[in-house]
Amino acid sequence: FHPANVQAYTVPGGLYTLVVAILLGRVRRGLPESLYDLPGWLELSAALAILGPGLLQSFEDVGFAGVVLGEALVILLIGVAMQRRFLVLPAVAFIGAIALQLTLGVALALPSWVVLGIAGAFLLSLGLLLLMGRNTWSRWQQTVAAWWMRWEN
């Protein structure tokens, strides 16, 4: 990174905020009631500080999309390993945003009939899978919801 790049400042600041949030999360029970949710909000702000500028830069230079994708995957892995919702949610959202940006870039280069054909085949396949595995989907959804509720904010 160059000093002129905003990520040279936001990534270290976001990492510092993330470390503070993790340390506060360990002593959460000792915090006053009004500050109980502070570690979660600090984690969210840290993820946004790390990922946000890169996402904005990726609209001008697609090379930054790989950087943001890597950062988001690291934050996702940390969030899953520590079972922290406020790290997993922004990481998944930024991965989806980058995937959408890259998909739209490719889709705009294809003829419209190819895009419609691919979208139609995808939707038909999705509908068939949902009809065939409705009970499996319900069980999986309940399992994930129970797992998610055990996580901290």
Side-chain angles (χ1 to χ4, degrees):
F1 294 108
H2 298 284
N5 189 343
V6 71
Q7 279 192 321
Y9 306 103
T10 60
V11 171
L15 290 175
Y16 176 77
T17 307
L18 184 60
V19 169
V20 169
I22 290 170
L23 294 176
L24 276 177
R26 293 180 183 212
V27 296
R28 176 181 293 208
R29 288 169 183 78
L31 293 175
E33 184 70 28
S34 61
L35 297 177
Y36 186 75
D37 292 333
L38 182 64
W41 290 108
L42 283 174
E43 289 169 359
L44 179 64
S45 64
L48 293 177
I50 293 170
L51 299 172
L55 179 69
L56 294 176
Q57 288 175 334
S58 72
F59 292 126
E60 295 176 8
D61 182 9
V62 180
F64 280 104
V67 173
V68 175
L69 190 60
E71 292 171 345
L73 286 174
V74 169
I75 290 175
L76 178 66
L77 292 175
I78 291 170
V80 168
M82 296 182 64
Q83 296 185 348
R84 305 296 296 171
R85 291 182 198 169
F86 282 127
L87 286 178
V88 172
L89 289 175
V92 169
F94 276 88
I95 289 171
I98 290 294
L100 183 66
Q101 176 190 3
L102 295 177
T103 303
L104 287 177
V106 170
L108 291 176
L110 293 174
S112 59
W113 62 271
V114 173
V115 174
L116 285 175
I118 292 171
F122 174 76
L123 290 175
L124 283 172
S125 301
L126 182 65
L128 181 66
L129 287 174
L130 288 176
L131 284 175
M132 290 174 53
R134 190 177 330 169
N135 292 333
T136 306
W137 174 259
S138 296
R139 284 194 312 267
W140 183 80
Q141 185 179 13
Q142 290 171 351
T143 303
V144 170
W147 181 55
W148 185 257
M149 294 307 290
R150 287 193 315 252
W151 287 18
E152 295 182 36
N153 286 336

